[in-house]
Amino acid sequence: MRVNSPWLLFAGLPILSGLLMWSAWPPLPTALPVFIGLVPLFLADEAITARFRKFTGLKVWLAVYLGLLVWNVSTTWWVSNASLIGGIFACMANPALMSVPFMASRRIRLRFGDQAGYLALVAFWMSFEYIHLRWELTWPWLTLGNVFAAKYQWVQWYSYTGVFGGTLWILLVNLLVLSVCKRLLYPERYPAQKSAGAMIRGTAIVFICIIMPIGVSLWQYKHYVEKGDPVQVTVLQPNFDPYTEKFTVPYRVQMEKMLDWSFKGVDDSTDFLLWPETAIQDDIWLDRLRTERPVRDIQKAIDSFPGLTCIIGINGFERFRNADEATATARKYILNQQGPGVPDTLLFDVYNTALALNHNGPIAYYHKSKLVPGVERMPYPEQLALLNRLTIDLGGISGSLGIQKERTVFFNEQKIGIAPVICYESVFGEYVSDYVKKGAGIIGIITNDGWWGDTGGYRQHCMYASLRSIETRRSLARSANTGISCFIDQKGNISQATDWRTDAVISAALPVNTDLTFYTEHGDYLARIALWMSAAILITAWVYRLRDRWMKRVAKRQHDK
């Protein structure tokens, strides 16, 4: 088959790229294909550009989009289990966004040459991933550095770089492989007497660039010693199906089951007990926490364990006295009529909240602030308030939820801090590190992954948590409603992982580390460098474009004279 055959350019190479990326992704324990996964797209781009003269950019985009679409669909199709429309939108929109840095760098390559173009690709792609972590339609599930969640032994240096170190590694190796492939496929472009030597050197460089970071990481993995004195943590997996049980089984039945199972794993030495996200289906008003039925029931049950702190997922409700205090996502409820035409209204907001309490009562609460787009929050509620009614109803509270700006760390009576990371937030490295900078010695993740069914989704989500442990060098406890609940040590090793859809309670002693890693202190600095590089590249390209236009005008004037 010819390298420039239409079928190969517009379907074969893009589909191969998408399948290579899928075959590298967790929960598959491979990872290595990611180092060549983007090469077919690069080759398709160059071949299409060389062969066609009309609508070349559109043709390249279609090929790139197809490859990225195959990768997205094959890796994250499970989103459609919760919402078919939402899943289709996510799988189609995300590759379109991914194609932006690819096509932008192509313009730079055509104008300034291969070296500038591929430098731009690295900078633009990392900038895209950085922005994609921070805007209101965030979906960073396929951030390239996440691919090593199943091979966390290879990336112990994430404690210095975070996942963007992995993204940079992957992009650079793919570009080196591309260079070798181009010498093999297009020998006429290179001097015959040098091509064989260049091939050998290029192959050796690729091999070294893959093996060396892995070797350094394996050395770190072998020699790293966990830090800190241990605390006893118990994790509950109550196993209520979110579609058929969670919002239909009576409160008393659920509460009795969760308490009974919890105290199979709790004793006088237990410091923390974790229940999953939205473990309590009742509406909990935050201004009267102590009088709410679930809080009273749980506090009564733990009164005999004075050293125990419980972290529980709830639906938190906050009322506002007037419109000036209300948030952008606040809701209005008409209570009654005070007089003719004068409604008495209740202004309130709803949060996905983690609540901490002990024998003395509620300690603190934290509102989930990295919300799932389209499910928990519509984009930019201040400007697009009408979209709030379009959020997908998965049972319980629907509509855009509120958030809080700062992280909150829960401290028990021994001043030991635990990070209350709620579900989707565990995918955001720098976000989780903010808890650690505020004093969290261990990380607690509470989640409900039952929406996706028995698919790769909940497995991926659990594996990503290993990367957070490595980045921060913090022990981690994970409570998932239907699984996987587990513990993760400071090197990313998962232990006591529960089975999917089983009732379970697990306990472990977790070291409390107080040291800050380089990544914790500096965050996604690699991505910020890439962002500045991208700005410099774009400004340079714009200046050169203005110069070219000016020179054309000068030449035209001289010609007219």
Side-chain angles (χ1 to χ4, degrees):
M1 184 178 295
R2 292 181 295 119
V3 174
N4 62 348
S5 67
W7 183 91
L8 184 63
L9 297 182
F10 293 104
L13 288 175
I15 291 174
L16 174 61
S17 182
L19 293 178
L20 285 171
M21 297 301 289
W22 162 76
S23 68
W25 218 262
L28 298 176
T30 46
L32 274 178
V34 78
F35 292 116
I36 59 172
L38 298 175
V39 173
L41 287 186
F42 298 147
L43 293 175
D45 171 17
E46 293 208 3
I48 292 171
T49 302
R51 177 172 179 177
F52 297 95
R53 292 292 178 265
K54 292 184 178 181
F55 306 110
T56 308
L58 176 60
K59 291 180 173 69
V60 170
W61 181 82
L62 289 172
V64 169
Y65 179 79
L66 175 60
L68 297 175
L69 179 67
V70 171
W71 172 23
N72 276 260
V73 171
S74 58
T75 309
T76 61
W77 62 270
W78 45 264
V79 177
S80 61
N81 277 9
S83 167
L84 180 59
I85 295 176
I88 291 173
F89 177 79
C91 288
M92 294 186 68
N94 203 52
L97 294 173
M98 285 179 161
S99 69
V100 173
F102 195 104
M103 298 305 295
S105 64
R106 178 179 180 271
R107 295 289 298 272
I108 300 298
R109 178 169 58 84
L110 294 177
R111 175 64 180 82
F112 297 100
D114 286 357
Q115 291 185 349
Y118 291 129
L119 173 64
L121 173 67
V122 173
F124 290 172
W125 191 289
M126 293 179 68
S127 297
F128 157 73
E129 288 189 346
Y130 182 80
I131 295 169
H132 210 19
L133 282 164
R134 286 163 174 78
W135 71 318
E136 298 268 329
L137 285 175
T138 179
W139 179 240
W141 208 265
L142 297 184
T143 295
L144 285 176
N146 287 340
V147 72
F148 299 111
K151 290 290 185 182
Y152 56 89
Q153 300 92 338
W154 293 3
V155 289
Q156 294 294 305
W157 37 265
Y158 273 14
S159 60
Y160 294 93
T161 69
V163 294
F164 283 100
T167 294
L168 179 61
W169 185 27
I170 292 165
L171 291 173
L172 291 178
V173 173
N174 269 271
L175 291 174
L176 289 172
V177 173
L178 173 66
S179 176
V180 174
C181 290
K182 286 166 65 175
R183 292 182 182 277
L184 178 64
L185 295 172
Y186 307 110
E188 68 278 2
R189 298 183 186 179
Y190 306 94
Q193 67 274 19
K194 296 183 180 180
S195 59
M199 279 284 296
I200 295 173
R201 288 194 300 272
T203 303
I205 291 172
V206 169
F207 183 77
I208 292 171
C209 287
I210 294 175
I211 295 300
M212 185 175 292
I214 294 176
V216 170
S217 180
L218 292 177
W219 185 90
Q220 290 180 287
Y221 180 79
K222 180 180 179 180
H223 291 89
Y224 180 81
V225 178
E226 290 196 288
K227 301 176 182 179
D229 297 326
V231 294
Q232 295 293 325
V233 182
T234 294
V235 165
L236 172 69
Q237 181 172 299
N239 187 35
F240 291 111
D241 187 286
Y243 291 107
T244 61
E245 297 177 318
K246 186 60 192 171
F247 302 101
T248 57
V249 174
Y251 162 82
R252 183 54 58 187
V253 174
Q254 292 195 40
M255 179 60 73
E256 288 179 358
K257 178 182 179 180
M258 290 188 289
L259 289 174
D260 289 344
W261 273 89
S262 293
F263 291 106
K264 291 179 181 180
V266 169
D267 58 30
D268 291 338
S269 66
T270 306
D271 296 286
F272 293 100
L273 169 64
L274 270 65
W275 284 11
E277 176 188 23
T278 58
I280 306 300
Q281 75 270 43
D282 279 22
D283 301 340
I284 307 294
W285 288 92
L286 300 175
D287 59 347
R288 59 186 190 199
L289 274 173
R290 291 182 179 275
T291 62
E292 293 284 31
R293 177 179 60 168
V295 175
R296 287 187 285 108
D297 288 346
I298 297 169
Q299 189 172 344
K300 180 180 179 181
I302 66 173
D303 274 346
S304 56
F305 300 95
L308 179 64
T309 297
C310 294
I311 298 169
I312 302 161
I314 65 172
N315 296 311
F317 284 66
E318 180 182 22
R319 71 182 81 233
F320 305 106
R321 290 175 296 179
N322 53 64
D324 292 337
E325 296 179 350
T327 59
T329 52
R331 305 155 191 240
K332 181 184 295 186
Y333 181 72
I334 299 178
L335 298 172
N336 52 52
Q337 296 289 122
Q338 289 183 332
V342 182
D344 183 9
T345 61
L346 172 65
L347 286 173
F348 66 98
D349 208 347
V350 184
Y351 305 91
N352 186 340
T353 301
L355 173 67
L357 65 149
N358 60 18
H359 67 104
N360 290 321
I363 300 173
Y365 53 79
Y366 163 73
H367 304 313
K368 180 180 180 182
S369 299
K370 287 291 186 182
L371 301 174
V372 181
V375 176
E376 295 178 308
R377 186 178 177 91
M378 295 304 288
Y380 305 103
E382 296 87 349
Q383 295 79 22
L384 303 173
L386 292 177
L387 294 180
N388 288 342
R389 66 188 66 181
L390 300 179
T391 52
I392 299 168
D393 186 358
L394 292 181
I397 304 301
S398 61
S400 287
L401 303 181
I403 61 174
Q404 70 177 59
K405 293 182 179 180
E406 298 294 329
R407 309 292 74 75
T408 298
V409 176
F410 296 159
F411 291 92
N412 67 2
E413 293 181 345
Q414 287 72 44
K415 306 301 181 183
I416 298 170
I418 183 171
V421 180
I422 304 177
C423 189
Y424 190 48
E425 293 179 334
S426 64
V427 185
F428 300 79
E430 189 174 74
Y431 188 89
V432 173
S433 72
D434 285 343
Y435 290 103
V436 176
K437 287 191 287 188
K438 287 181 176 291
I442 58 175
I443 296 172
I445 296 177
I446 61 174
T447 185
N448 181 5
D449 292 338
W451 303 111
W452 322 121
D454 191 4
T455 66
Y458 75 90
R459 297 184 184 93
Q460 291 168 1
H461 195 196
C462 179
M463 289 178 176
Y464 288 174
S466 291
L467 303 180
R468 306 291 85 80
S469 289
I470 295 168
E471 289 168 345
T472 60
R473 294 302 186 190
R474 291 296 187 270
S475 303
L476 187 151
R478 189 175 195 269
S479 172
N481 174 36
T482 52
I484 301 171
S485 300
C486 63
F487 299 104
I488 304 177
D489 68 18
Q490 296 170 16
K491 297 193 291 186
N493 296 308
I494 297 176
S495 62
Q496 299 192 51
T498 60
D499 293 329
W500 170 252
R501 291 305 311 271
T502 58
D503 304 340
V505 62
I506 55 178
S507 299
L510 302 183
V512 180
N513 188 9
T514 57
D515 294 342
L516 298 183
T517 65
F518 186 88
Y519 175 75
T520 299
E521 291 187 296
H522 301 282
D524 295 327
Y525 64 94
L526 287 176
R528 285 188 279 272
I529 293 172
L531 203 63
W532 283 108
M533 289 178 60
S534 297
I537 291 169
L538 291 174
I539 291 172
T540 301
W542 177 69
V543 169
Y544 269 82
R545 186 176 182 182
L546 291 179
R547 187 203 67 172
D548 290 346
R549 287 183 177 181
W550 178 78
M551 292 179 67
K552 286 180 180 179
R553 290 177 182 175
V554 171
K556 185 176 182 301
R557 290 173 184 172
Q558 292 177 347
H559 181 270
D560 292 342
K561 291 180 180 179

